[in-house]
Structure formats: C-alpha cells, structure tokens
Amino acid sequence: MDVLAWLLDSDPALRWQVERDLAGTPPEIWEATRARVATEGFGARLLAAQDLDGQWAGGAFFPAGFRGDEPQPWTATTWSLNALREWGLDAAVLSGTAGLLAANSRWEYDDLPYWNGEVDCCINAWTLANGVWLGADVAGIADWFARHRLPDGGWNCEWVEGSTRSSVHSTLNSLKGLLAHETATGGTAETREARRLGEEYLLERGLFRRRSTGAPLAPWVREFGYPMRWHYDVLNAASYFRDAGRPDERPAAAIELIRAARQPDGTWLQQRTDAGRVWFPVDVPAGQPSKWLTFFATRVLDWWDAR
C-alpha cells in the first residue's frame, strides 16, 4: 500500500498538512491546497453552518436547547471553531466573527462573555487558542492559566469542585492553548513558566504512567481517535510535544506505543469514536484505517526518529 498516496487523496483540510509535513511539497503547493479549506469539503460545509450572529448551533459550548439528556454534542461554537482552526482555515475568512461572538455569545456557565472564558480549563484553553487565531483580546485567559495551575504542576477542570490533583486531559488541553498563545504573542514570563511546568507534569509520567507506581494510567492512553477533542492519549500528547519542539527523552516508551499500533500496511486504526451530534463525519468508524490518525502518527514518528 502506498500510504502517502492514500493520505494525499483526502479532503483539503488534511491534504495540505500531508503535503507540508510528510510529502515535502513546495510552499506554493501546500498553501494553495490550504486555501481550498474555505471553499471545498469539510471547511466549506462547516462555514456554511455558521449562524448570522457568529455562533454555530446557537450556543457557545452546547447547542441551543441542549438539556443534558443526550451525549455531549459537538456542533456548538467552540467545537466548530476548534475544527476550522485545526484544519488550517485562514482566520481572514472569519473576519468579523470575533466581534460577533463578543456581542452575541455567552457561556452556558453563569452567562459569562465569550472571550472572557469561564472556569473550565479545557474550555478556556480552546477559547485562548481560538481567540489569538481570530484576533480577539484573550490576554486575560492566558493570565488565568498562570494563576490556576495546581501545586503538582498541571491543571484540572474539576478544580472548581475542589480537586487539587492535576488531570492529564486538562493539562494537555491547557498546554495546547498556552502554546497557541505563546506562538502568536510570545506570551509572558508567567505563562511561559506555567507551560514549562505543565509539560514537566506530563514528562515526569512519561506521557502515560502513574508517577506513584509507574503503571499505565488506564487503557485509554493507547486508544487513539479522531477528532481528538478533549481526550488524552499518547498520540495526542506526543503530537503536542512535536509541535512545541520540546527535546526530551522521557516520552520514549510512549512513542513505542504509537509505533506498535501501526498496522502491517502502514496505517493506524480508528480506535475510539465519540457519541453525540456532529455536523457531518470527518473520519472513519472505529476499527477502520484512519487517514487522520495515520497522518498524526507518521508525523510524530518522523519527528522522533529524526530528532
């Protein structure tokens, strides 16, 4: 199987990343493919679903009318912005959206203004990343992370309920938001230190072990799925450290878990899918070869083996 050809036969949202990171095509090629995200395939379909008030599905984190008697839906504004940003949409295509959300979107938690964030670490991390992408003033959210890091180094979305121990899920998502902010703005001394200490929290655990016993955290550390959304696994974590350019040998065993999941034909299987409403499917059902996961895993191994 020609895995690279298989990956290139993809929606523009994935194809441009394969061209840039795996195929080594010239910038003028992958940049042209990336521009197609706004007009073709997944990106165009999701853009067409945006409401006139700037939101998607009438809500900030949950769609309008959501009552909690169904699985978490993935159609509201935050999830839609996450997808478009991760697919590489040019922020200029959403010109005016930041202002519309400032005027019209409030968090379901305490009716707080959208770009002020709320109390959930993961939600604030996505809002931070989406805000710097769209040009919103989210400096206050970046500072929030520096103030709300827990004593053991990371973050936990349950801190507001009294939790004092960090979560790998919350910590990884927080790190992604801080990295996006730092890449766009340079960050501050406080946010850069918070990110460094959050990375240490994961690295001390080799990305998948309990610090106390060295045993794996849970089976889900090696259950890869796309879209990744809030879920932690070693592929998601290793992808962060690749993006951050953090040289460290401690993820070595985690990298081997990723390598071991490669199928004989060079692909990686979808192992986890989320229930809940979506605008449309963007990957295969569980058990089938996933182009997205194959891309992420191949890119991580290329980075690791060439470091």
Side-chain angles (χ1 to χ4, degrees), residues 121 142-156 159 163-166 171 174-175 178 190-201:
C121 303
D143 293 340
W144 182 95
F145 279 100
R147 296 194 309 270
H148 287 81
R149 188 176 55 80
L150 295 176
D152 60 1
W155 292 266
N156 192 326
W159 73 272
S163 179
T164 58
R165 298 180 63 186
S166 296
T171 298
S174 299
L175 288 172
L178 286 168
E190 292 76 19
T191 61
R192 291 191 297 270
E193 178 67 357
R195 187 168 73 86
R196 186 189 69 80
L197 292 171
E199 289 179 347
E200 282 297 311
Y201 173 83

Side-chain angles (χ1 to χ4, degrees), residues 131 211 287:
R211 188 179 179 190

Side-chain angles (χ1 to χ4, degrees), residues 153-224:
W155 292 266
N156 192 326
C157 293
E158 299 298 324
W159 73 272
V160 73
E161 305 297 334
S163 179
T164 58
R165 298 180 63 186
S166 296
S167 153
V168 292
H169 306 280
S170 301
T171 298
L172 177 59
N173 289 317
S174 299
L175 288 172
K176 288 183 177 184
L178 286 168
L179 178 61
H181 175 261
E182 190 172 320
T183 300
T185 70
T188 66
E190 292 76 19
T191 61
R192 291 191 297 270
E193 178 67 357
R195 187 168 73 86
R196 186 189 69 80
L197 292 171
E199 289 179 347
E200 282 297 311
Y201 173 83
L202 298 181
L203 289 169
E204 287 172 353
R205 291 155 177 79
L207 306 190
F208 75 103
R209 298 186 184 279
R210 297 184 183 279
R211 188 179 179 190
S212 56
T213 65
L217 291 166
W220 42 255
V221 298
R222 57 195 306 170
E223 294 173 357
F224 311 149

Side-chain angles (χ1 to χ4, degrees), residues 37 40 60 113 141 144 162 241:
V37 173
E40 300 178 27
I141 301 179
W144 182 95
F241 282 97

Side-chain angles (χ1 to χ4, degrees), residues 19-306:
E19 290 174 338
R20 183 190 65 180
D21 297 336
L22 300 185
T25 58
E28 59 268 22
I29 301 296
W30 63 259
E31 287 171 356
T33 305
R34 184 176 185 174
R36 291 164 47 201
V37 173
T39 59
E40 300 178 27
F42 299 157
R45 292 180 67 182
L46 192 49
L47 284 170
Q50 187 178 18
D51 302 331
L52 293 177
D53 66 0
Q55 299 188 107
W56 276 261
F61 192 73
F62 298 104
F66 177 69
R67 298 181 179 178
D69 56 353
E70 61 175 295
Q72 162 78 60
W74 313 105
T75 54
T77 301
T78 296
W79 300 111
S80 298
L81 287 177
N82 287 353
L84 291 169
R85 173 175 50 80
E86 291 168 5
W87 293 341
L89 181 74
D90 186 342
V93 175
L94 288 173
S95 177
T97 292
L100 286 170
L101 295 180
N104 301 315
S105 190
R106 314 282 296 192
W107 292 109
E108 291 80 9
Y109 181 90
D110 278 0
D111 199 40
L112 296 170
Y114 191 82
W115 294 120
N116 285 16
E118 47 127 288
V119 299
D120 185 287
C121 303
C122 296
I123 291 175
N124 282 352
W126 297 318
T127 308
L128 180 60
N130 292 333
V132 294
W133 171 52
L134 295 180
D137 181 3
V138 288
I141 301 179
D143 293 340
W144 182 95
F145 279 100
R147 296 194 309 270
H148 287 81
R149 188 176 55 80
L150 295 176
D152 60 1
W155 292 266
N156 192 326
C157 293
E158 299 298 324
W159 73 272
V160 73
E161 305 297 334
S163 179
T164 58
R165 298 180 63 186
S166 296
S167 153
V168 292
H169 306 280
S170 301
T171 298
L172 177 59
N173 289 317
S174 299
L175 288 172
K176 288 183 177 184
L178 286 168
L179 178 61
H181 175 261
E182 190 172 320
T183 300
T185 70
T188 66
E190 292 76 19
T191 61
R192 291 191 297 270
E193 178 67 357
R195 187 168 73 86
R196 186 189 69 80
L197 292 171
E199 289 179 347
E200 282 297 311
Y201 173 83
L202 298 181
L203 289 169
E204 287 172 353
R205 291 155 177 79
L207 306 190
F208 75 103
R209 298 186 184 279
R210 297 184 183 279
R211 188 179 179 190
S212 56
T213 65
L217 291 166
W220 42 255
V221 298
R222 57 195 306 170
E223 294 173 357
F224 311 149
Y226 186 85
M228 293 175 175
R229 299 192 172 109
W230 60 267
H231 298 279
Y232 186 95
D233 59 56
V234 292
L235 176 56
N236 194 359
S239 293
Y240 164 81
F241 282 97
R242 177 224 173 247
D243 294 345
R246 173 73 185 263
D248 201 286
E249 291 303 309
R250 285 173 286 181
I255 295 293
E256 294 313 308
L257 293 180
I258 298 170
R259 202 186 306 274
R262 181 166 50 193
Q263 300 300 298
D265 63 359
T267 66
W268 276 258
L269 302 181
Q270 180 84 277
Q271 297 174 287
R272 172 192 50 76
T273 56
D274 295 321
R277 279 183 273 164
V278 297
W279 288 109
F280 46 84
V282 296
D283 204 2
V284 295
Q288 295 186 19
S290 162
K291 291 183 179 181
W292 285 99
L293 293 175
T294 299
F295 163 69
F296 284 117
T298 303
R299 188 172 66 169
V300 160
L301 294 182
D302 284 354
W303 160 71
W304 182 262
D305 293 341

